[in-house]
């Protein structure tokens, strides 16, 4: 083994580590507002709003101009490229509005999927070309973290070894390049919930995927203390007939994480996938009440699960701004409480009733 | 990826997990008394005692006749094959004496190192042939855990990728086979302290080795909650001119573990390598006072560092047996305190002075 060649100086490590910790401090989580133009098209179509740059700008403006107290529950916002350079109606840059609230600005860095030939419709992710220069520019333009989403699916012969290795490797390259440019990489290896597999199978696959991801990060000399993980929760496939309680989802999820994610990682911010707003909050709460050791912060990085009600309340009309902001604020607060295991939703008697539903962890 | 084929039932997992937790219960560690016939030859020749089976029996009797004071600081004893079937002077099997103290019995199962052709003097470890049958027999004969030692060394071009991969793989095969037979595997990837490399180099190599070990354990479907890790502490090479404090060693060691050892592993039981008894205790104590969060128990699995004084006091004379046993009990109690960060040391000015010597972890 050659002598090591340090990838980062102490100062670089300190900066990255502090950014990561700020994002997930005190139950804070992330608003994933980085929907691409195409994805925003899907969202807007549901509320019968035209997918124009102005409409996208207006919706994001409503979210970002909420009361400053949002900074108690939101530590970071992920932006899409276009949004990083947009301004509010007074001409103020969104990224400055967010920074002044003490929120860390992030940027989506991947450039979508590409097929892996010879597999059962599996993909890898593009975006490594010129990534270092793009990161340097984004850092100058106010971003302090990046996000890159790799996608794996459960199906016949999937995920294959190739898909796992290739996506883990691409994630590690992206993470390494980000850190060289002072950006904290959010590492997102999403195992899709599509399919009729049960929760146990999702747990098995998630463990294999995460083990590969952390081996790749180690091989690529990535500084774990300056990263965040954005995984799926461990759930059954959408088409699975068996139903599971939040406590079971929590136990399976935390078991998988504690078998694969080193304690050096400061925070794990779950994606919401196709979950409803309430399920995403209930599951996160159960995760934070899970009796297994949890050396990382367990928080959220939600897109739909933070914005669904807000979008519905907006309907494309400026007059609905207040209702939209209230809807968003409500979900943000709920998820912040869930990230501390303190969420009590109507109809539940709180932590005591949920505690008894945890099955002893050795069954997982 | 095919569906998972569970390697262990829920009951098997529970048994393994319970055993592991008993061994590393708070304040407890392991007495490594598994010196092979060849290793015992070296120890005994240093005190002028002939290496006969009877002398080895008499010596182990000195250790195992320790009174109930060891119950609170020794959670497990590793035996060599011969010793597992030996008895004390009154005909009571050693295994029984140890078990009656509530201490778990372990057995060394590897068969020593063999060269890896085409490398710079590197080795792998043999012992896989018929291992399952041997484990089944040892389990019947009272053993509940096992130990297998792999060896890596640091030099200009070592450890090589082959040495790391091969040793990690063989450790994972051994671990898998043990668990199938109800035996908790202690996984020992020792990086020798020989050489003039500094602390940082050892840390770097340790991180690479441990990442490979945990990837291999994942690949081989080993149940981490039912294993223990026996690594080297992160130290400079013996011939390194720079001196480091216990706090620096602690910070480097805990940082390396946090980056590679999943929280699911219940305990890390350090080997003492060439450290003196006092050094091994001071370092373990500093490790347990390290300000970084540590999700696993951090304790000892010491051979020489528990026995050096006892061996010296005994010198093969039965009249010295009582005094020798006292020396052993003394070191056991000291290390029991060190495993909780409560050892005040001989001549150390206590916790406050030591605390300030920890360097911020981003420097590592």
């Amino acid at each position: 083994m050659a002598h090591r060649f340090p990838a980062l100086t102490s100062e670089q490590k300190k900066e990255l580590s502090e950014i990561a910790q700020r994002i997930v401090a005190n139950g804070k989580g992330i608003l994933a507002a980085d929907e691409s133009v195409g994805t925003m098209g899907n969202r807007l179509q549901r509320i019968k709003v035209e997918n124009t740059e102005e409409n996208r700008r207006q919706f994001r403006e409503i979210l970002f101009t909420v009361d400053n107290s949002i900074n108690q529950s939101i530590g970071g916002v992920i932006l899409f490229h276009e949004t990083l350079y947009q301004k509010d109606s007074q001409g103020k840059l969104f990224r400055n509005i967010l920074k002044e609230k003490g929120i860390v600005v992030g940027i989506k860095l991947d450039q979508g999927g590409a097929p892996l030939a010879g597999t059962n419709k599996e993909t890898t992710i593009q975006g490594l070309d010129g990534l270092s220069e793009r990161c340097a520019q984004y850092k100058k333009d106010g971003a302090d973290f990046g996000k890159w989403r790799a996608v794996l699916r459960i199906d016949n012969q999937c995920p294959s070894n190739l898909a796992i290795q290739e996506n883990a490797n691409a994630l590690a390259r992206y993470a390494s390049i980000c850190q060289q440019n002072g950006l904290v990489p959010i590492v997102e290896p999403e195992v899709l919930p599509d399919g009729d597999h049960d929760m146990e199978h999702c747990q098995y696959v998630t463990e294999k995927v995460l083990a590969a991801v952390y081996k790749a990060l180690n091989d690529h000399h990535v500084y774990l203390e300056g990263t965040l993980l954005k995984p799926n929760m461990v759930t059954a496939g959408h088409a699975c007939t068996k139903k599971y309680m939040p406590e079971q989802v929590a136990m399976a999820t935390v078991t998988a994480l504690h078998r694969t994610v080193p304690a050096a990682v400061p925070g794990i911010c779950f994606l919401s996938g196709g979950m409803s707003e309430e399920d995403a909050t209930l599951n996160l709460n159960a995760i934070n009440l899970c009796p297994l050791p949890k050396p990382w912060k367990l928080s959220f990085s939600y897109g739909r699960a933070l914005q669904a009600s807000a979008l519905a309340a907006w309907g494309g009309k400026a007059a609905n701004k207040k209702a939209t902001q209230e809807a968003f604020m409500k979900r943000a607060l709920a998820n912040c409480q869930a990230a501390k295991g303190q969420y009590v939703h109507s109809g539940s008697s709180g932590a005591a009733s949920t505690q008894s539903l945890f099955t002893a962890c050795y069954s997982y | 990826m095919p569906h998972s084929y569970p390697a262990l039932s829920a009951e098997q997992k529970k048994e393994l997990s319970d055993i592991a937790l008993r061994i590393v219960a708070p304040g407890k560690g392991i007495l490594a008394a598994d010196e092979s016939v060849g290793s015992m030859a070296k120890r005994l020749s240093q005190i002028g005692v002939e290496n006969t089976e009877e002398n080895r029996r008499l010596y182990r009797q000195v250790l195992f006749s320790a009174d109930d004071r060891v119950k609170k600081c020794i959670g497990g004893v590793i035996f060599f094959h011969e010793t597992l079937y030996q008895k004390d002077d009154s005909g009571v099997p050693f295994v029984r004496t140890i078990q009656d103290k509530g201490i778990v019995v372990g057995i060394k199962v590897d068969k020593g190192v063999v060269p890896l052709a085409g490398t710079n003097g590197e080795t792998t470890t043999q012992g896989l042939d018929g291992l399952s049958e041997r484990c089944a027999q040892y389990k019947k004969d009272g053993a509940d855990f096992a130990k297998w030692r792999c060896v890596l060394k640091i030099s200009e071009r070592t450890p090589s990728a082959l040495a790391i991969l091969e040793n990690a793989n063989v450790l994972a095969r051994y671990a898998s086979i043990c668990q199938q037979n109800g035996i908790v595997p202690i996984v020992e990837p020792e990086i020798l302290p020989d050489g003039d490399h500094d602390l940082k180099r050892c840390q770097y190599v340790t991180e690479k080795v441990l990442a490979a070990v945990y990837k291999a354990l994942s690949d081989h479907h080993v149940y981490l909650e039912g294993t223990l890790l026996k690594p080297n502490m992160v130290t400079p090479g013996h011939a390194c001119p720079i001196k480091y404090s216990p706090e620096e060693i602690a910070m480097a060691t805990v940082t390396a573990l946090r980056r590679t050892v999943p929280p699911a592993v219940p305990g890390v039981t350090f080997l003492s390598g060439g450290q003196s008894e006092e050094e091994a205790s001071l370092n373990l104590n500093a490790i347990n006072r390290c300000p970084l969060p540590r999700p696993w128990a951090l304790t000892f699995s010491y051979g020489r560092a528990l026995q050096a004084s006892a061996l010296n006091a005994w010198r093969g004379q039965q009249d010295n047996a009582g005094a020798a046993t006292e020396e052993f009990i003394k070191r056991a109690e000291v290390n029991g305190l060190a495993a909780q960060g409560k050892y005040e040391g001989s001549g150390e000015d206590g916790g406050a002075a030591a605390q300030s010597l920890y360097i911020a972890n981003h420097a590592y």
Side-chain angles (χ1 to χ4, degrees):
Chain A
M1 175 181 289
H3 280 262
R4 59 169 242 185
F5 304 95
L8 299 163
T9 64
S10 305
E11 289 74 27
Q12 285 176 301
K13 286 179 174 179
K14 185 169 193 287
E15 185 195 14
L16 291 167
S17 163
E18 283 173 355
I19 292 168
Q21 282 171 25
R22 257 170 46 222
I23 295 171
V24 294
N26 301 320
K28 289 191 261 193
I30 299 172
L31 164 63
D34 61 319
E35 294 86 354
S36 61
V37 173
T39 305
M40 264 324 266
N42 295 341
R43 307 269 181 273
L44 295 177
Q45 189 199 45
R46 289 232 188 82
I47 54 166
K48 314 245 190 301
V49 172
E50 203 192 339
N51 187 19
T52 62
E53 189 185 336
E54 177 56 16
N55 282 341
R56 296 191 295 273
R57 192 200 66 75
Q58 276 184 20
F59 181 64
R60 268 76 181 255
E61 172 169 350
I62 294 175
L63 294 181
F64 302 160
T65 55
V66 297
D67 181 75
N68 282 354
S69 62
I70 192 70
N71 63 13
Q72 304 293 305
S73 24
I74 300 291
V77 175
I78 319 178
L79 299 178
F80 180 61
H81 175 87
E82 164 191 90
T83 323
L84 188 69
Y85 302 100
Q86 284 179 331
K87 302 170 175 142
D88 73 3
S89 30
Q90 269 91 56
K92 187 159 183 192
L93 284 163
F94 283 155
R95 65 192 195 233
N96 291 340
I97 294 174
L98 291 169
K99 284 193 152 195
E100 278 165 26
K101 288 189 188 350
I103 295 175
V104 186
V105 171
I107 179 75
K108 182 220 285 293
L109 289 169
D110 67 80
Q111 308 210 301
L116 285 171
T119 65
N120 181 8
K121 302 205 260 313
E122 293 178 292
T123 59
T124 180
I125 305 289
Q126 316 181 99
L128 292 177
D129 298 351
L131 181 59
S132 191
E133 291 74 17
R134 292 175 59 219
C135 284
Q137 187 61 50
Y138 285 135
K139 178 79 176 178
K140 284 205 192 95
D141 294 340
D144 281 315
F145 71 94
K147 171 230 161 177
W148 174 290
R149 175 175 176 256
V151 179
L152 293 140
R153 61 194 202 87
I154 296 178
D155 195 351
N156 186 24
Q157 305 298 317
C158 304
S160 63
N161 278 338
L162 173 63
I164 295 176
Q165 293 314 319
E166 173 57 27
N167 280 283
N169 192 62
L171 276 166
R173 280 294 297 131
Y174 139 80
S176 167
I177 292 170
C178 272
Q179 293 194 328
Q180 291 300 300
N181 290 284
L183 295 179
V184 166
I186 296 193
V187 172
E188 180 178 356
E190 174 171 10
V191 176
L192 293 174
D194 305 34
D196 60 3
H197 53 274
D198 61 15
M199 190 182 70
E200 288 75 10
H201 189 61
C202 177
Q203 184 184 333
Y204 173 78
V205 172
T206 301
E207 289 178 14
K208 293 301 176 195
V209 168
L210 290 176
V213 167
Y214 282 97
K215 180 59 163 62
L217 291 176
N218 181 284
D219 288 343
H220 287 256
H221 316 300
V222 174
Y223 176 60
L224 293 187
E225 292 87 328
T227 65
L228 293 168
L229 178 69
K230 177 166 171 168
N232 50 287
M233 293 182 189
V234 172
T235 60
H238 279 157
C240 179
T241 47
K242 202 163 158 204
K243 294 298 155 217
Y244 298 87
M245 302 288 298
E247 290 72 27
Q248 291 172 293
V249 168
M251 185 61 88
T253 302
V254 179
T255 300
L257 296 171
H258 102 305
R259 287 175 182 168
T260 53
V261 184
V265 175
I268 298 179
C269 303
F270 296 98
L271 57 94
S272 47
M275 278 182 245
S276 69
E277 289 176 328
E278 189 64 9
D279 279 348
T281 304
L282 287 174
N283 286 338
L284 181 62
N285 192 53
I287 281 170
N288 277 280
L289 291 173
C290 180
L292 295 176
K294 307 180 286 287
W296 348 255
K297 292 274 174 24
L298 288 161
S299 185
F300 57 95
S301 174
Y302 290 167
R304 279 167 284 180
L306 273 169
Q307 301 176 65
S309 303
L311 263 169
W314 180 52
K317 303 188 171 56
N320 294 336
K321 173 173 165 170
K322 187 161 176 297
T324 307
Q325 289 186 332
E326 273 169 12
F328 168 54
M329 184 69 103
K330 187 169 141 184
R331 290 327 304 172
L333 281 170
N335 285 308
C336 177
Q337 287 172 323
K340 301 188 232 184
Q342 290 169 7
Y343 179 63
V344 181
H345 83 124
S346 46
S348 132
S349 36
S353 64
T354 56
Q355 204 67 19
S356 60
L357 295 169
F358 283 109
T359 323
C361 63
Y362 60 79
S363 327
Y364 290 84
Chain B
M1 176 183 291
H3 280 260
S4 72
Y5 302 94
L8 300 163
S9 67
E11 290 73 28
Q12 285 176 298
K13 286 179 173 177
K14 182 172 198 304
E15 186 194 14
L16 291 167
S17 168
D18 285 348
I19 292 169
L21 288 170
R22 262 168 48 218
I23 296 171
V24 296
K28 296 193 195 180
I30 298 173
L31 163 63
D34 61 319
E35 295 86 355
S36 61
V37 173
S39 293
M40 274 315 283
K42 294 189 211 141
R43 307 272 181 273
L44 295 178
S45 83
Q46 268 164 353
I47 53 165
V49 173
E50 203 190 340
N51 187 23
T52 62
E53 191 184 335
E54 178 59 7
N55 281 341
R56 294 192 292 273
R57 188 192 69 80
L58 284 170
Y59 175 60
R60 266 67 182 259
Q61 180 171 250
V62 164
L63 300 175
F64 300 161
S65 57
D67 62 29
D68 283 357
R69 279 175 287 165
V70 292
K71 280 168 127 167
K72 63 181 189 314
C73 43
I74 300 290
V77 174
I78 319 179
F79 282 64
F80 179 61
H81 176 89
E82 166 191 86
T83 323
L84 197 70
Y85 302 102
Q86 285 178 331
K87 307 175 166 120
D88 68 15
D89 290 344
S90 46
V92 176
F94 284 149
V95 167
R96 257 262 303 284
T97 307
I98 294 299
Q99 286 174 335
D100 285 351
K101 290 198 203 321
I103 299 173
V104 188
V105 169
I107 176 74
K108 182 224 288 292
V109 297
D110 71 78
K111 295 193 174 179
V113 298
V114 288
L116 284 171
T119 66
N120 182 11
E122 295 180 290
T123 60
T124 181
T125 297
Q126 42 181 20
L128 292 179
D129 298 351
L131 181 59
S132 191
E133 291 73 15
R134 293 173 59 217
C135 282
Q137 188 61 50
Y138 285 137
K139 179 79 174 177
K140 286 203 192 101
D141 296 340
D144 281 314
F145 74 95
K147 170 228 156 175
W148 174 294
R149 177 173 175 259
C150 275
V151 181
L152 294 142
K153 61 187 186 98
I154 297 179
S155 75
E156 187 60 37
R157 295 193 194 285
T158 66
S160 64
L162 172 63
I164 295 177
L165 196 71
E166 169 56 27
N167 282 283
N169 192 62
V170 87
L171 277 166
R173 279 293 299 132
Y174 140 78
S176 166
I177 292 170
C178 278
Q179 293 193 329
Q180 291 301 300
N181 290 283
I183 290 191
V184 167
I186 296 192
V187 172
E188 180 177 355
E190 173 171 9
I191 299 164
L192 295 175
D194 305 32
D196 61 2
H197 53 274
D198 63 10
L199 185 70
K200 276 187 157 31
R201 179 91 194 281
C202 178
Q203 183 184 334
Y204 174 78
V205 172
T206 302
E207 289 178 15
K208 293 301 173 193
V209 168
L210 290 178
V213 167
Y214 283 96
K215 180 58 163 59
L217 292 176
S218 168
D219 289 344
H220 286 257
H221 317 300
V222 174
Y223 175 60
L224 294 187
E225 294 88 326
T227 65
L228 293 169
L229 178 70
K230 178 166 170 169
N232 48 287
M233 293 182 190
V234 172
T235 62
H238 278 158
C240 178
I242 311 173
K243 292 299 153 216
Y244 298 87
S245 64
E247 289 72 30
E248 289 173 292
I249 285 174
M251 187 61 90
T253 301
V254 176
T255 300
L257 297 174
R258 277 169 52 80
R259 289 175 182 169
T260 53
V261 183
V265 176
V268 175
T269 60
F270 295 100
L271 58 93
S272 47
Q275 294 177 44
S276 69
E277 288 176 328
E278 188 65 5
E279 227 182 321
S281 301
L282 288 175
N283 285 336
L284 181 62
N285 193 54
I287 281 169
N288 278 282
R289 288 192 186 172
C290 180
L292 298 175
R294 301 162 258 123
W296 348 254
L298 289 163
T299 181
F300 57 93
S301 173
Y302 290 168
R304 280 168 283 181
L306 273 170
Q307 300 177 53
S309 298
L311 203 56
N312 219 31
W314 180 55
R315 305 201 78 82
Q317 309 296 326
Q318 272 316 91
D319 293 342
N320 296 339
T325 307
E326 277 304 309
E327 291 293 331
F328 164 60
I329 296 175
K330 197 166 110 186
R331 284 331 297 175
E333 288 183 318
V334 159
N335 286 306
L337 289 172
Q340 301 172 85
K342 292 182 181 162
Y343 178 49
E344 295 304 323
S346 42
E348 204 191 19
D349 40 354
Q355 204 67 21
S356 59
L357 295 169
Y358 286 106
I359 306 184
N361 69 316
H362 57 259
Y364 288 85

